[in-house]
Amino acid sequence: MIHPKSIAVLPFVNMSPGKENDYLCDGITEEIIHALAKIEQLKVTSRTSSFFFKGQNRPLTEIGRELDVANLLEGSLRVSGDRLRITAQLIQVSDDSHFWSESWDRKMEDIFAIQDEISLRIADKLREHLGHLDIADQLVQAPTSKVEAYRHYLQGKSLFNKWNPEDVYQAIGHFEKALQSDPDLIDAHTGLADAYSFLAVAGFAPRELAWKKAMESMQRATEIDTHNAPLNYLLANEAFFTEANFGEAMRYGQQAIASKPTYAEGHQFLAFLFMLRDDMKKAGEHLSYARSIDPLNPETKFYQAYFLYRSQFFDQAEVLLLELLEANAKNLPALITLIYVLLKKEAFERAERLIFGSPAEGIMPDEKLGLACLLWVMQGAAEKYPALLDELEGNASRDTSFQAHAYLFLVYAALNEDKKAFSVLEKLFKHRSSILLLAFGDPLAAPLRHNLEFEDFQKWIFALPNPNPPVRPVKRNSAELSEADATDYLQVLERFMETESPFLDPSLSLRSLANQLEMHPNQLSWLLNEKLGKNFNAYVNGFRVAHFKKLLADPGNAGFSLIGLAYESGFNSKTVFNTVFKKETGMTPKEFQKNRHLSG
């Protein structure tokens, strides 16, 4: 069932003559996503899944169904000199109806103020339409006082998101220019760290040099804000993949989502860590949340497939892995995991075709050697694997190939050579191999689980950090009122609506009504939702319908049209009036008028 308080922010469309402002459209879209994600009661689709539809001319109802959201926000940006014109509109997916739209004309120097203003306005309109949301007074904090630094950061982020070495190197240049303008722009530091770590892992730069630069950027970011979510996510990856320190990786991962509970990447990584620790319940919880807000991210689908593999649901895992490889044949993690699945299913011929049929730039030599050896061992091909095993043992003895270590461990497990397998495992800490960390609890190592030493190693390798990072405190809803205060405010509200008739103002908003009542908007929203069971629009439109009926009953208004009386009652749209009136009375306005005459 689709959550009614859910929204996806689609990439804003660049209405400027050239493409040079695409990065600014993307940046504004991302900032609104981040701002709305701060509202606890609102489910907001993450950037990757929202941007999946960039440049696609797909029906909005179809997009909403794929993203599993009830509402969409779409908008556009036009840049002219130093001025911005931004438009935004909210759409209800179920009937493809637009229930709010607005435009803003501002100077570029006001970019952060306008992002906050737009985000608050959107949040207000969602609350009026959907029901209570507890909204902060400010949703967007300026990351820098230097607009030029921010523009370079956005350009760098836009280039980095293309995920290829040429663009990533250009992104690094923009991040560095951003830091020349503002050395304390933490987003640019984490951008640099992300870029250099990508180049290191993907092999597009000398590994040690790239990691050194990534760590320098992380260290500078740490000096600015140790709680920054992207920073802690990067530190978690560094702790796992370069230090093979599971406890530290877990600690940083938990800090990332403590700082930003809606951080999809953080939840994905924690799901991965809990899978390795065999805590599938917690892994499933984090993965389920990541899937709910980032369903179209290939990384989310891979983690889901890996979760199914580690849970030994091999057929379901295979389906997802094949989908990933159909979308991207060079998805190496999906390819390797699919080979593991086929080995566990004893689909040896298919596994053999993938191992030996993969392109040269795909599977690394020692990984291919290890997979081939494992294949022949699991098939019981005694005439084939001894020579490969000798070669694998020789490569592992040089202590330079962690792939050789990992596959030697799995081969010994398949041969029921427990002692030899555990001796390889001890190199995990000596050589800090994250690949051995991955191999330890793999389903291919299942024959070792009967050994009492397995549990000892598991406790040793996957010990949780101590003490645990601070858990994000559960805060009391700032909007909530005591019973006595709620009763008093309800009386004040009802008296004000009856005597002052604020509903006759078509531009009345929850925030403006709260100001007139000298209440915080969150309190009025909570009061309507919890005590009257209505959202703001339903509550106010109820008064407007009642006023319309009074006007219709007055003989002095016989010369006025129905829509004219509707406008006099505070409605500003014929469509809204007709929809609301039928919902309130079960009849169209014309039917109601006709029945009234007949009964009269």
Side-chain angles (χ1 to χ4, degrees):
M1 183 177 176
I2 295 177
H3 194 297
K5 295 180 181 179
S6 57
I7 187 170
V9 182
L10 300 181
F12 276 39
V13 177
N14 178 15
M15 302 298 288
S16 307
K19 283 186 166 291
E20 62 271 13
N21 290 305
D22 278 0
Y23 76 93
L24 198 54
C25 290
D26 292 353
I28 288 173
T29 306
E30 286 192 57
E31 198 58 62
I32 293 172
I33 291 172
H34 295 156
L36 295 179
K38 295 175 183 177
I39 302 170
E40 291 185 11
Q41 302 96 331
L42 187 64
K43 175 192 159 190
V44 182
T45 301
S46 68
R47 179 208 183 275
T48 309
S49 290
S50 288
F51 274 67
F52 178 85
F53 298 99
K54 184 174 181 179
Q56 296 186 30
N57 187 21
R58 302 266 294 275
L60 295 178
T61 50
E62 185 179 307
I63 293 173
R65 283 196 300 271
E66 284 201 42
L67 294 176
D68 198 31
V69 293
N71 306 280
L72 294 170
L73 176 80
E74 60 177 5
S76 64
L77 167 72
R78 181 181 293 275
V79 180
S80 178
D82 67 343
R83 297 199 67 83
L84 309 172
R85 179 172 176 79
I86 301 172
T87 64
Q89 54 187 353
L90 286 166
I91 301 104
Q92 186 169 281
V93 173
S94 60
D95 57 5
D96 196 19
S97 62
H98 294 57
F99 60 90
W100 167 80
S101 64
E102 200 161 320
S103 299
W104 294 264
D105 286 289
R106 298 288 189 278
K107 288 185 176 181
M108 176 65 78
E109 64 191 43
D110 300 325
I111 182 68
F112 304 120
I114 185 61
Q115 286 174 344
D116 188 50
E117 182 182 341
I118 293 172
S119 299
L120 283 170
R121 189 73 169 148
I122 293 164
D124 279 346
K125 291 304 168 184
L126 284 169
R127 175 165 61 184
E128 291 173 5
H129 188 71
L130 304 176
H132 176 62
L133 298 172
D134 199 14
I135 302 170
D137 293 332
Q138 185 177 11
L139 292 176
V140 176
Q141 277 87 32
T144 175
S145 59
K146 307 288 180 62
V147 173
E148 189 63 19
Y150 184 63
R151 292 183 75 151
H152 277 299
Y153 162 70
L154 290 182
Q155 287 174 283
K157 186 75 182 293
S158 179
L159 287 162
F160 176 75
N161 285 330
K162 295 181 180 179
W163 295 98
N164 66 73
E166 182 180 342
D167 285 313
V168 170
Y169 275 112
Q170 288 187 51
I172 287 172
H174 281 289
F175 291 142
E176 289 174 341
K177 287 178 181 177
L179 291 171
Q180 289 171 9
S181 179
D182 183 356
D184 293 328
L185 180 53
I186 191 170
D187 294 335
H189 287 293
T190 57
L192 275 178
D194 215 356
Y196 279 119
S197 61
F198 166 78
L199 294 174
V201 171
F204 295 123
R207 181 180 173 84
E208 288 189 15
L209 178 62
W211 270 119
K212 181 175 181 293
K213 287 183 173 291
M215 286 305 301
E216 287 172 354
S217 294
M218 288 184 220
Q219 179 56 42
R220 183 68 186 93
T222 302
E223 294 167 5
I224 298 170
D225 180 8
T226 57
H227 298 291
N228 181 269
L231 167 64
N232 280 279
Y233 172 70
L234 289 166
L235 290 170
N237 277 269
E238 193 275 334
F240 185 88
F241 289 107
T242 67
E243 302 295 326
N245 189 328
F246 181 86
E248 280 293 276
M250 181 68 80
R251 182 173 72 84
Y252 284 125
Q254 289 175 333
Q255 181 60 62
I257 64 166
S259 300
K260 187 178 178 182
T262 58
Y263 193 40
E265 291 90 340
H267 284 283
Q268 288 171 351
F269 195 69
L270 282 176
F272 167 68
L273 294 179
F274 278 118
M275 286 181 224
L276 299 186
R277 199 171 182 269
D278 276 350
D279 190 339
M280 304 311 283
K281 182 176 183 294
K282 286 187 177 178
E285 290 171 358
H286 286 288
L287 184 58
S288 178
Y289 182 80
R291 289 174 65 201
S292 74
I293 63 171
D294 202 4
L296 301 182
N297 188 345
E299 236 182 300
T300 307
K301 183 177 281 191
F302 172 74
Y303 279 119
Q304 175 67 7
Y306 193 64
F307 177 84
L308 290 168
Y309 167 68
R310 299 285 295 211
S311 303
Q312 302 196 47
F313 294 110
F314 301 124
D315 290 337
Q316 294 97 314
E318 182 182 350
V319 170
L320 291 183
L321 292 165
L322 287 171
E323 288 177 5
L324 284 166
L325 288 167
E326 185 178 352
N328 177 13
K330 294 182 180 180
N331 188 329
L332 190 58
L335 175 62
I336 299 300
T337 307
L338 178 59
I339 293 171
Y340 288 3
V341 165
L342 296 175
L343 290 174
K344 287 299 295 184
K345 291 177 65 173
E346 299 185 358
F348 296 125
E349 288 186 11
R350 290 178 61 200
E352 183 178 347
R353 286 198 297 270
L354 289 178
I355 293 168
F356 297 106
S358 299
E361 72 272 11
I363 303 175
M364 298 290 285
D366 273 340
E367 189 149 42
K368 184 169 286 194
L369 170 65
L371 285 167
C373 188
L374 194 58
L375 171 69
W376 303 134
V377 167
M378 293 181 71
Q379 278 190 278
E383 76 285 359
K384 290 185 177 181
Y385 74 76
L388 295 178
L389 179 56
D390 286 344
E391 186 179 353
L392 194 61
E393 288 175 331
N395 290 357
S397 69
R398 293 196 293 271
D399 296 330
T400 57
S401 172
F402 297 143
Q403 285 95 346
H405 293 153
Y407 284 102
L408 189 58
F409 169 75
L410 293 175
V411 168
Y412 283 149
L415 289 169
N416 293 309
E417 296 275 4
D418 294 15
K419 188 174 181 180
K420 288 184 178 180
F422 288 130
S423 70
V424 174
L425 192 63
E426 288 173 357
K427 294 184 178 181
L428 164 70
F429 292 96
K430 182 179 178 182
H431 299 291
R432 298 187 297 186
S433 167
S434 62
I435 295 177
L436 270 172
L437 255 179
L438 290 165
F440 172 72
D442 193 281
L444 289 169
L448 295 174
R449 287 181 177 267
H450 73 278
N451 193 305
L452 294 177
E453 284 187 73
F454 183 89
E455 188 174 342
D456 292 336
F457 270 104
Q458 188 175 45
K459 290 178 181 177
W460 181 30
I461 295 169
F462 299 119
L464 292 177
N466 189 27
N468 289 326
V471 178
R472 186 170 182 266
V474 178
K475 66 175 184 177
R476 183 175 179 270
N477 189 334
S478 63
E480 194 171 332
L481 299 165
S482 68
E483 281 298 322
D485 286 343
T487 300
D488 289 344
Y489 271 121
L490 275 176
Q491 291 175 352
V492 171
L493 173 62
E494 290 171 3
R495 187 163 56 248
F496 186 78
M497 296 297 284
E498 290 170 3
T499 59
E500 300 299 326
S501 301
F503 55 84
L504 296 178
D505 177 4
S507 65
L508 182 71
S509 67
L510 186 146
R511 192 171 288 271
S512 65
L513 180 58
N515 289 338
Q516 293 176 63
L517 294 168
E518 297 183 348
M519 294 177 68
H520 193 283
N522 287 344
Q523 292 177 326
L524 178 56
S525 172
W526 181 88
L527 191 71
L528 294 173
N529 198 81
E530 296 296 322
K531 296 303 177 182
L532 298 180
K534 295 182 178 181
N535 62 45
F536 172 79
N537 285 347
Y539 177 72
V540 171
N541 285 334
F543 283 94
R544 288 170 175 161
V545 168
H547 190 76
F548 170 85
K549 290 179 181 178
K550 288 181 183 178
L551 293 179
L552 189 63
D554 185 348
N557 294 323
F560 286 91
S561 66
L562 293 179
I563 191 60
L565 296 179
Y567 290 149
E568 287 293 317
S569 302
F571 288 101
N572 61 3
S573 162
K574 182 178 180 179
T575 302
V576 171
F577 166 61
N578 288 330
T579 302
V580 168
F581 192 88
K582 187 165 187 178
K583 187 175 181 180
E584 286 274 333
T585 66
M587 293 180 279
T588 66
K590 285 186 178 180
E591 289 170 343
F592 181 84
Q593 184 184 39
K594 183 178 180 181
N595 285 348
R596 186 179 153 277
H597 285 312
L598 290 173
S599 61

